[in-house]
Amino acid sequence: MKKSHIIGIIIIAAAIMIIMSTAGDASTYVDFGQAKELAEDGSKAKVHVVGRLKKDAQGHIVGMKYDPIVDPNYFSFMLVDTNRVEQQVVYFNPKPQDFERSEQVVITGSMQNEVFVADKILLKCPSKYVEKEVQQTTAGL
């Protein structure tokens, strides 16, 4: 065999190994009901849940607990998924910056003892241009 054929086979084998390893780490998007079912079945698979923060009539986040003086690596909050199911989420890291301003939250993790334990939190923050500010700026011109 030529050296170029051997190198080609090695590259293809390496590509297959990389694809197989990343496919095993992929997680799926579910709601809290499906996450609970997976946990009850004994699955330790990581899942993504999309939701919005639970807020009261004044717009304050309900159920958010974070005290960096007591424990800077404990943050919990209530999240409402796309099916309007509320669930307590615990994140064992500091609270993400601009968490209060986020419109939508994507969490990655798994259910553990009636609590969703998040490994990652991704925030979808509001547009940097607010309609009211745009109108005021254009009205002044």
Side-chain angles (χ1 to χ4, degrees):
M1 278 187 141
K2 293 183 181 179
K3 287 184 180 182
S4 61
H5 290 119
I6 294 172
I7 292 172
I9 291 172
I10 291 172
I11 291 173
I12 291 170
I16 290 172
M17 288 174 46
I18 290 170
I19 291 170
M20 296 295 280
S21 67
T22 57
D25 293 339
S27 60
T28 58
Y29 282 85
V30 298
D31 58 31
F32 285 126
Q34 292 169 321
K36 286 179 185 178
E37 288 175 11
L38 287 170
E40 288 170 358
D41 292 341
S43 174
K44 299 286 183 186
K46 304 291 182 194
V47 294
H48 293 296
V49 178
V50 179
R52 295 187 179 275
L53 298 172
K54 183 177 181 184
K55 295 184 180 182
D56 61 13
Q58 290 79 29
H60 299 111
I61 299 172
V62 175
M64 184 171 72
K65 296 176 187 156
Y66 181 64
D67 189 354
I69 295 170
V70 174
D71 187 357
N73 291 321
Y74 180 86
F75 173 52
S76 70
F77 58 96
M78 294 298 289
L79 190 69
V80 181
D81 70 7
T82 54
N83 291 336
R84 299 183 185 195
V85 175
E86 297 176 14
Q87 179 64 51
Q88 181 183 11
V89 178
V90 175
Y91 183 56
F92 292 107
N93 283 302
K95 181 179 76 161
Q97 186 176 0
D98 293 334
F99 184 80
E100 293 85 359
R101 296 184 56 201
S102 65
E103 289 179 357
Q104 197 172 35
V105 179
V106 178
I107 54 176
T108 304
S110 60
M111 289 295 296
Q112 297 176 13
N113 300 327
E114 300 300 318
V115 174
F116 191 93
V117 178
D119 297 334
K120 294 180 187 176
I121 297 178
L122 303 170
L123 305 175
K124 180 181 178 194
C125 291
S127 173
K128 72 178 179 178
Y129 300 108
V130 179
E131 185 70 29
K132 191 184 294 184
E133 292 175 0
V134 172
Q135 289 176 351
Q136 289 175 353
T137 305
T138 56
L141 295 176

